[in-house]
């Protein structure tokens, strides 16, 4: 199995979480954290609207749940898999949680930390670096996001 294929199943689980968010009228983003063996130790979806929480991003929630699952905030050897490119807050949470890797689906050219050039994951001034893989299952993930925002635009036109 090549380096990318081992993340397809976790990305599919993250996509299922994004679909839950969509049904709950949240921006459809899902995330999972897997351990070094590929086992899913947490999963989450956006909950900003339902919890009135500006930090209720799927990535943040998945990282929190993973820490509780292993009784350690240091998620060394773990990988964060998320359907949308992380924002600044979420990429920094990945740095602080010490993940080994972040794998994301859809690029976000408006708010994605990496697309905007904030490469904190390889900044020499910070105490942790990690690998990033982007664009995994891009089409499948972007299609759900596009559908969600198209429906929102049509709703507000009424």
């Amino acid at each position: 199995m090549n380096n990318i294929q081992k993340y397809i199943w976790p990305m599919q689980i993250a996509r299922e979480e994004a679909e839950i968010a969509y049904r709950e009228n949240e921006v459809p983003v899902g995330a999972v954290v897997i351990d070094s063996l590929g086992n899913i130790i947490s999963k989450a979806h956006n909950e900003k609207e339902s919890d009135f929480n500006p930090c209720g991003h799927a990535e943040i929630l998945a990282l929190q749940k993973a820490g509780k699952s292993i009784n350690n905030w240091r998620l060394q050897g773990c990988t964060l898999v998320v359907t949308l490119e992380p924002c600044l807050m979420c990429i920094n949470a990945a740095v602080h949680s010490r993940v080994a890797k972040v794998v994301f689906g859809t690029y976000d050219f408006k708010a994605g930390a990496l697309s905007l050039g904030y490469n904190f994951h390889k900044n020499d001034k910070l105490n942790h670096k990690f690998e990033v893989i982007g664009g995994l299952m891009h089409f499948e993930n972007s299609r759900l996001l596009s559908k969600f925002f198209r429906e929102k635009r049509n709703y507000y036109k009424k």
Side-chain angles (χ1 to χ4, degrees):
M1 180 179 329
N2 73 29
N3 196 30
I4 301 294
Q5 287 179 322
K6 66 182 174 184
Y7 300 113
I8 291 176
W9 176 70
M11 183 62 80
Q12 289 170 335
I13 302 300
R15 174 91 160 71
E16 290 173 8
E17 285 293 312
E19 289 170 1
I20 293 169
Y22 173 83
R23 290 192 299 272
E24 293 177 356
N25 205 28
E26 298 275 358
V27 174
V29 177
V32 300
V33 175
I34 59 174
D35 66 17
S36 60
L37 300 174
N39 300 308
I40 292 177
I41 57 174
S42 70
K43 58 185 181 176
H45 57 274
N46 275 1
E47 295 181 9
K48 284 177 62 174
E49 303 299 327
S50 60
D51 285 348
F52 310 107
N53 179 0
C55 298
H57 291 204
E59 301 96 309
I60 300 290
L61 300 173
L63 291 169
Q64 289 173 336
K65 289 177 181 180
K68 288 179 181 173
S69 173
I70 66 168
N71 294 316
N72 195 337
W73 62 268
R74 291 175 190 87
L75 302 176
Q76 294 169 322
C78 293
T79 299
L80 173 64
V81 180
V82 59
T83 58
L84 180 65
E85 177 182 352
C87 69
L88 279 167
M89 175 180 66
C90 293
I91 206 74
N92 277 308
V95 169
H96 287 283
S97 68
R98 312 292 197 270
V99 296
K101 190 176 298 183
V102 171
V103 177
F104 68 88
T106 301
Y107 285 88
D108 184 353
F109 298 108
K110 292 181 181 178
L114 304 169
S115 290
L116 293 174
Y118 297 105
N119 295 309
F120 293 116
H121 66 290
K122 53 185 177 181
N123 188 320
D124 288 331
K125 294 178 182 176
L126 298 176
N127 64 350
H128 180 70
K129 296 178 185 177
F130 54 84
E131 182 183 348
V132 172
I133 298 172
L136 182 64
M137 296 175 59
H138 169 82
F139 179 73
E140 296 92 330
N141 291 312
S142 65
R143 197 170 60 205
L144 182 61
L145 285 158
S146 295
K147 178 182 177 186
F148 177 82
F149 287 112
R150 186 173 45 254
E151 289 171 357
K152 290 291 176 207
R153 282 190 301 275
N154 289 336
Y155 173 80
Y156 290 116
K157 284 182 183 178
K158 294 177 184 177

